[in-house]
Amino acid sequence: MKFFFCVIGMVMIVEGLPYFAFPGKMKEMVQIMISLEDTKLRRFGFILMLAGLCIIYFAMDGR
């Protein structure tokens, strides 16, 4: 459980960093995302999830 909370904390740091470092650019990015179709956002999210899964798989030495 301790490891799980560490991972969640790291995700929150990585997710929050762009908003802290580039608030103006993030506002522009959100407006662009609003104009995108749902299917494109879903596809992008799915690709990100697959990439994350691959990174975890290879980081764990492919076990």
Side-chain angles (χ1 to χ4, degrees):
M1 197 59 145
K2 188 176 183 179
F3 178 72
F4 175 74
F5 284 119
C6 286
V7 170
I8 294 297
M10 290 300 294
V11 167
M12 292 173 77
I13 290 170
V14 171
E15 287 286 329
L17 190 60
Y19 293 97
F20 175 76
F22 311 104
K25 290 286 183 187
M26 289 307 297
K27 286 180 181 179
E28 291 175 23
M29 182 69 92
V30 169
Q31 288 179 347
I32 291 170
M33 288 175 58
I34 289 171
S35 68
L36 289 176
E37 298 174 11
D38 288 350
T39 54
K40 288 184 180 181
L41 284 175
R42 264 197 194 100
R43 197 173 300 136
F44 182 66
F46 184 71
I47 290 169
L48 285 177
M49 288 190 301
L50 283 179
L53 188 62
C54 289
I55 289 170
I56 292 169
Y57 177 78
F58 288 117
M60 298 300 236
D61 296 325
R63 288 185 246 161

PDB file of all heavy atoms in Angstrom, residues 1 5 7-8 11-12 14 16-17 22 35-38 43 45 47 50-51 53-54 61 63:
ATOM      1  N   MET A   1       0.824  -1.189   0.000  1.00  0.00           N
ATOM      2  CA  MET A   1       0.000   0.000   0.000  1.00  0.00           C
ATOM      3  C   MET A   1       0.871   1.257   0.000  1.00  0.00           C
ATOM      4  O   MET A   1       0.512   2.244  -0.631  1.00  0.00           O
ATOM      5  CB  MET A   1      -0.916  -0.064   1.221  1.00  0.00           C
ATOM      6  CG  MET A   1      -2.069   0.866   1.127  1.00  0.00           C
ATOM      7  SD  MET A   1      -3.069   0.500  -0.317  1.00  0.00           S
ATOM      8  CE  MET A   1      -4.649   0.866   0.262  1.00  0.00           C
ATOM      9  N   PHE A   5       0.719   4.461  -2.751  1.00  0.00           N
ATOM     10  CA  PHE A   5       0.584   5.883  -2.454  1.00  0.00           C
ATOM     11  C   PHE A   5       1.772   6.684  -2.993  1.00  0.00           C
ATOM     12  O   PHE A   5       1.613   7.833  -3.407  1.00  0.00           O
ATOM     13  CB  PHE A   5       0.399   6.113  -0.956  1.00  0.00           C
ATOM     14  CG  PHE A   5      -0.977   5.782  -0.482  1.00  0.00           C
ATOM     15  CD1 PHE A   5      -1.179   4.802   0.460  1.00  0.00           C
ATOM     16  CD2 PHE A   5      -2.084   6.435  -1.004  1.00  0.00           C
ATOM     17  CE1 PHE A   5      -2.456   4.481   0.895  1.00  0.00           C
ATOM     18  CE2 PHE A   5      -3.372   6.133  -0.581  1.00  0.00           C
ATOM     19  CZ  PHE A   5      -3.553   5.144   0.371  1.00  0.00           C
ATOM     20  N   VAL A   7       3.367   5.959  -5.773  1.00  0.00           N
ATOM     21  CA  VAL A   7       3.097   6.069  -7.206  1.00  0.00           C
ATOM     22  C   VAL A   7       2.042   7.137  -7.473  1.00  0.00           C
ATOM     23  O   VAL A   7       2.199   7.968  -8.376  1.00  0.00           O
ATOM     24  CB  VAL A   7       2.657   4.699  -7.790  1.00  0.00           C
ATOM     25  CG1 VAL A   7       2.143   4.848  -9.203  1.00  0.00           C
ATOM     26  CG2 VAL A   7       3.806   3.717  -7.738  1.00  0.00           C
ATOM     27  N   ILE A   8       0.971   7.146  -6.685  1.00  0.00           N
ATOM     28  CA  ILE A   8      -0.079   8.152  -6.856  1.00  0.00           C
ATOM     29  C   ILE A   8       0.503   9.550  -6.638  1.00  0.00           C
ATOM     30  O   ILE A   8       0.209  10.484  -7.395  1.00  0.00           O
ATOM     31  CB  ILE A   8      -1.260   7.888  -5.886  1.00  0.00           C
ATOM     32  CG1 ILE A   8      -1.965   6.587  -6.238  1.00  0.00           C
ATOM     33  CG2 ILE A   8      -2.241   9.050  -5.884  1.00  0.00           C
ATOM     34  CD1 ILE A   8      -2.614   6.561  -7.601  1.00  0.00           C
ATOM     35  N   VAL A  11       2.527  10.568  -9.691  1.00  0.00           N
ATOM     36  CA  VAL A  11       1.644  10.915 -10.802  1.00  0.00           C
ATOM     37  C   VAL A  11       1.100  12.329 -10.601  1.00  0.00           C
ATOM     38  O   VAL A  11       1.047  13.123 -11.552  1.00  0.00           O
ATOM     39  CB  VAL A  11       0.488   9.890 -10.941  1.00  0.00           C
ATOM     40  CG1 VAL A  11      -0.590  10.398 -11.875  1.00  0.00           C
ATOM     41  CG2 VAL A  11       1.027   8.559 -11.421  1.00  0.00           C
ATOM     42  N   MET A  12       0.715  12.651  -9.372  1.00  0.00           N
ATOM     43  CA  MET A  12       0.184  13.990  -9.099  1.00  0.00           C
ATOM     44  C   MET A  12       1.249  15.065  -9.324  1.00  0.00           C
ATOM     45  O   MET A  12       0.940  16.143  -9.845  1.00  0.00           O
ATOM     46  CB  MET A  12      -0.354  14.052  -7.671  1.00  0.00           C
ATOM     47  CG  MET A  12      -1.600  13.198  -7.487  1.00  0.00           C
ATOM     48  SD  MET A  12      -2.134  13.081  -5.776  1.00  0.00           S
ATOM     49  CE  MET A  12      -2.900  14.687  -5.585  1.00  0.00           C
ATOM     50  N   VAL A  14       3.829  14.856 -11.467  1.00  0.00           N
ATOM     51  CA  VAL A  14       4.040  14.963 -12.920  1.00  0.00           C
ATOM     52  C   VAL A  14       2.860  15.660 -13.592  1.00  0.00           C
ATOM     53  O   VAL A  14       3.037  16.473 -14.494  1.00  0.00           O
ATOM     54  CB  VAL A  14       4.289  13.563 -13.529  1.00  0.00           C
ATOM     55  CG1 VAL A  14       4.281  13.612 -15.041  1.00  0.00           C
ATOM     56  CG2 VAL A  14       5.595  12.994 -13.014  1.00  0.00           C
ATOM     57  N   GLY A  16       0.815  17.858 -12.207  1.00  0.00           N
ATOM     58  CA  GLY A  16       0.721  19.250 -11.775  1.00  0.00           C
ATOM     59  C   GLY A  16       1.830  20.147 -12.283  1.00  0.00           C
ATOM     60  O   GLY A  16       1.681  21.371 -12.333  1.00  0.00           O
ATOM     61  N   LEU A  17       2.945  19.561 -12.666  1.00  0.00           N
ATOM     62  CA  LEU A  17       4.110  20.347 -13.092  1.00  0.00           C
ATOM     63  C   LEU A  17       3.832  21.291 -14.257  1.00  0.00           C
ATOM     64  O   LEU A  17       4.183  22.472 -14.185  1.00  0.00           O
ATOM     65  CB  LEU A  17       5.271  19.399 -13.419  1.00  0.00           C
ATOM     66  CG  LEU A  17       6.622  20.041 -13.656  1.00  0.00           C
ATOM     67  CD1 LEU A  17       7.074  20.803 -12.412  1.00  0.00           C
ATOM     68  CD2 LEU A  17       7.632  18.975 -14.023  1.00  0.00           C
ATOM     69  N   PHE A  22       3.821  26.343 -16.659  1.00  0.00           N
ATOM     70  CA  PHE A  22       3.319  27.025 -17.854  1.00  0.00           C
ATOM     71  C   PHE A  22       1.807  27.223 -17.791  1.00  0.00           C
ATOM     72  O   PHE A  22       1.064  26.655 -18.608  1.00  0.00           O
ATOM     73  CB  PHE A  22       3.656  26.213 -19.109  1.00  0.00           C
ATOM     74  CG  PHE A  22       5.076  25.771 -19.186  1.00  0.00           C
ATOM     75  CD1 PHE A  22       5.423  24.453 -18.910  1.00  0.00           C
ATOM     76  CD2 PHE A  22       6.076  26.662 -19.520  1.00  0.00           C
ATOM     77  CE1 PHE A  22       6.733  24.038 -18.978  1.00  0.00           C
ATOM     78  CE2 PHE A  22       7.391  26.250 -19.591  1.00  0.00           C
ATOM     79  CZ  PHE A  22       7.736  24.933 -19.313  1.00  0.00           C
ATOM     80  N   SER A  35     -12.100  21.735 -28.144  1.00  0.00           N
ATOM     81  CA  SER A  35     -12.565  21.749 -29.526  1.00  0.00           C
ATOM     82  C   SER A  35     -12.392  20.404 -30.239  1.00  0.00           C
ATOM     83  O   SER A  35     -12.940  20.211 -31.318  1.00  0.00           O
ATOM     84  CB  SER A  35     -11.840  22.842 -30.314  1.00  0.00           C
ATOM     85  OG  SER A  35     -10.473  22.524 -30.460  1.00  0.00           O
ATOM     86  N   LEU A  36     -11.660  19.475 -29.643  1.00  0.00           N
ATOM     87  CA  LEU A  36     -11.447  18.172 -30.277  1.00  0.00           C
ATOM     88  C   LEU A  36     -12.675  17.279 -30.118  1.00  0.00           C
ATOM     89  O   LEU A  36     -13.424  17.389 -29.155  1.00  0.00           O
ATOM     90  CB  LEU A  36     -10.235  17.465 -29.651  1.00  0.00           C
ATOM     91  CG  LEU A  36      -8.870  18.041 -29.971  1.00  0.00           C
ATOM     92  CD1 LEU A  36      -7.791  17.297 -29.194  1.00  0.00           C
ATOM     93  CD2 LEU A  36      -8.572  17.970 -31.452  1.00  0.00           C
ATOM     94  N   GLU A  37     -12.819  16.359 -31.062  1.00  0.00           N
ATOM     95  CA  GLU A  37     -13.906  15.382 -30.990  1.00  0.00           C
ATOM     96  C   GLU A  37     -13.613  14.377 -29.875  1.00  0.00           C
ATOM     97  O   GLU A  37     -12.450  14.092 -29.567  1.00  0.00           O
ATOM     98  CB  GLU A  37     -14.026  14.635 -32.314  1.00  0.00           C
ATOM     99  CG  GLU A  37     -14.371  15.514 -33.488  1.00  0.00           C
ATOM    100  CD  GLU A  37     -14.323  14.746 -34.799  1.00  0.00           C
ATOM    101  OE1 GLU A  37     -14.229  13.503 -34.765  1.00  0.00           O
ATOM    102  OE2 GLU A  37     -14.368  15.393 -35.844  1.00  0.00           O
ATOM    103  N   ASP A  38     -14.681  13.825 -29.308  1.00  0.00           N
ATOM    104  CA  ASP A  38     -14.525  12.848 -28.228  1.00  0.00           C
ATOM    105  C   ASP A  38     -13.729  11.625 -28.667  1.00  0.00           C
ATOM    106  O   ASP A  38     -12.927  11.089 -27.900  1.00  0.00           O
ATOM    107  CB  ASP A  38     -15.895  12.405 -27.709  1.00  0.00           C
ATOM    108  CG  ASP A  38     -16.577  13.489 -26.901  1.00  0.00           C
ATOM    109  OD1 ASP A  38     -15.928  14.502 -26.575  1.00  0.00           O
ATOM    110  OD2 ASP A  38     -17.774  13.308 -26.588  1.00  0.00           O
ATOM    111  N   ARG A  43      -9.062   8.114 -28.238  1.00  0.00           N
ATOM    112  CA  ARG A  43      -7.949   7.421 -28.892  1.00  0.00           C
ATOM    113  C   ARG A  43      -6.619   7.849 -28.275  1.00  0.00           C
ATOM    114  O   ARG A  43      -5.755   7.011 -27.992  1.00  0.00           O
ATOM    115  CB  ARG A  43      -7.979   7.724 -30.396  1.00  0.00           C
ATOM    116  CG  ARG A  43      -7.164   6.773 -31.213  1.00  0.00           C
ATOM    117  CD  ARG A  43      -7.353   6.982 -32.709  1.00  0.00           C
ATOM    118  NE  ARG A  43      -8.757   6.790 -33.107  1.00  0.00           N
ATOM    119  CZ  ARG A  43      -9.405   7.580 -33.939  1.00  0.00           C
ATOM    120  NH1 ARG A  43      -8.797   8.605 -34.484  1.00  0.00           N
ATOM    121  NH2 ARG A  43     -10.650   7.346 -34.260  1.00  0.00           N
ATOM    122  N   GLY A  45      -6.140   9.083 -25.237  1.00  0.00           N
ATOM    123  CA  GLY A  45      -6.071   8.526 -23.890  1.00  0.00           C
ATOM    124  C   GLY A  45      -5.718   7.053 -23.895  1.00  0.00           C
ATOM    125  O   GLY A  45      -4.930   6.580 -23.071  1.00  0.00           O
ATOM    126  N   ILE A  47      -3.991   5.444 -26.205  1.00  0.00           N
ATOM    127  CA  ILE A  47      -2.579   5.316 -26.579  1.00  0.00           C
ATOM    128  C   ILE A  47      -1.682   5.634 -25.386  1.00  0.00           C
ATOM    129  O   ILE A  47      -0.687   4.937 -25.144  1.00  0.00           O
ATOM    130  CB  ILE A  47      -2.256   6.217 -27.789  1.00  0.00           C
ATOM    131  CG1 ILE A  47      -2.936   5.665 -29.041  1.00  0.00           C
ATOM    132  CG2 ILE A  47      -0.762   6.351 -28.007  1.00  0.00           C
ATOM    133  CD1 ILE A  47      -2.922   6.601 -30.230  1.00  0.00           C
ATOM    134  N   LEU A  50      -1.737   2.645 -23.032  1.00  0.00           N
ATOM    135  CA  LEU A  50      -0.908   1.554 -23.547  1.00  0.00           C
ATOM    136  C   LEU A  50       0.575   1.857 -23.374  1.00  0.00           C
ATOM    137  O   LEU A  50       1.359   0.979 -23.011  1.00  0.00           O
ATOM    138  CB  LEU A  50      -1.211   1.305 -25.024  1.00  0.00           C
ATOM    139  CG  LEU A  50      -2.497   0.555 -25.334  1.00  0.00           C
ATOM    140  CD1 LEU A  50      -2.667   0.421 -26.848  1.00  0.00           C
ATOM    141  CD2 LEU A  50      -2.509  -0.802 -24.680  1.00  0.00           C
ATOM    142  N   ALA A  51       0.960   3.106 -23.631  1.00  0.00           N
ATOM    143  CA  ALA A  51       2.362   3.491 -23.455  1.00  0.00           C
ATOM    144  C   ALA A  51       2.774   3.349 -21.988  1.00  0.00           C
ATOM    145  O   ALA A  51       3.864   2.832 -21.690  1.00  0.00           O
ATOM    146  CB  ALA A  51       2.575   4.925 -23.933  1.00  0.00           C
ATOM    147  N   LEU A  53       1.448   1.343 -19.782  1.00  0.00           N
ATOM    148  CA  LEU A  53       1.501  -0.080 -19.480  1.00  0.00           C
ATOM    149  C   LEU A  53       2.801  -0.701 -19.992  1.00  0.00           C
ATOM    150  O   LEU A  53       3.434  -1.500 -19.291  1.00  0.00           O
ATOM    151  CB  LEU A  53       0.296  -0.779 -20.099  1.00  0.00           C
ATOM    152  CG  LEU A  53       0.080  -2.235 -19.740  1.00  0.00           C
ATOM    153  CD1 LEU A  53      -0.153  -2.383 -18.244  1.00  0.00           C
ATOM    154  CD2 LEU A  53      -1.104  -2.785 -20.517  1.00  0.00           C
ATOM    155  N   CYS A  54       3.227  -0.308 -21.178  1.00  0.00           N
ATOM    156  CA  CYS A  54       4.487  -0.813 -21.732  1.00  0.00           C
ATOM    157  C   CYS A  54       5.678  -0.360 -20.897  1.00  0.00           C
ATOM    158  O   CYS A  54       6.593  -1.150 -20.636  1.00  0.00           O
ATOM    159  CB  CYS A  54       4.657  -0.354 -23.179  1.00  0.00           C
ATOM    160  SG  CYS A  54       3.538  -1.154 -24.327  1.00  0.00           S
ATOM    161  N   ASP A  61      11.287  -5.422 -15.769  1.00  0.00           N
ATOM    162  CA  ASP A  61      12.116  -6.423 -16.447  1.00  0.00           C
ATOM    163  C   ASP A  61      11.307  -7.476 -17.199  1.00  0.00           C
ATOM    164  O   ASP A  61      11.731  -8.608 -17.351  1.00  0.00           O
ATOM    165  CB  ASP A  61      13.053  -7.125 -15.454  1.00  0.00           C
ATOM    166  CG  ASP A  61      14.049  -6.171 -14.836  1.00  0.00           C
ATOM    167  OD1 ASP A  61      14.489  -5.249 -15.545  1.00  0.00           O
ATOM    168  OD2 ASP A  61      14.385  -6.345 -13.649  1.00  0.00           O
ATOM    169  N   ARG A  63       8.705  -9.132 -16.416  1.00  0.00           N
ATOM    170  CA  ARG A  63       8.248 -10.295 -15.643  1.00  0.00           C
ATOM    171  C   ARG A  63       6.794 -10.533 -15.831  1.00  0.00           C
ATOM    172  O   ARG A  63       5.930  -9.826 -15.846  1.00  0.00           O
ATOM    173  CB  ARG A  63       8.519 -10.093 -14.157  1.00  0.00           C
ATOM    174  CG  ARG A  63       9.984 -10.189 -13.841  1.00  0.00           C
ATOM    175  CD  ARG A  63      10.204 -10.101 -12.381  1.00  0.00           C
ATOM    176  NE  ARG A  63      10.919  -8.853 -12.145  1.00  0.00           N
ATOM    177  CZ  ARG A  63      10.985  -8.246 -11.004  1.00  0.00           C
ATOM    178  NH1 ARG A  63      10.386  -8.735  -9.966  1.00  0.00           N
ATOM    179  NH2 ARG A  63      11.661  -7.151 -10.867  1.00  0.00           N
TER     180      ARG A  63
END
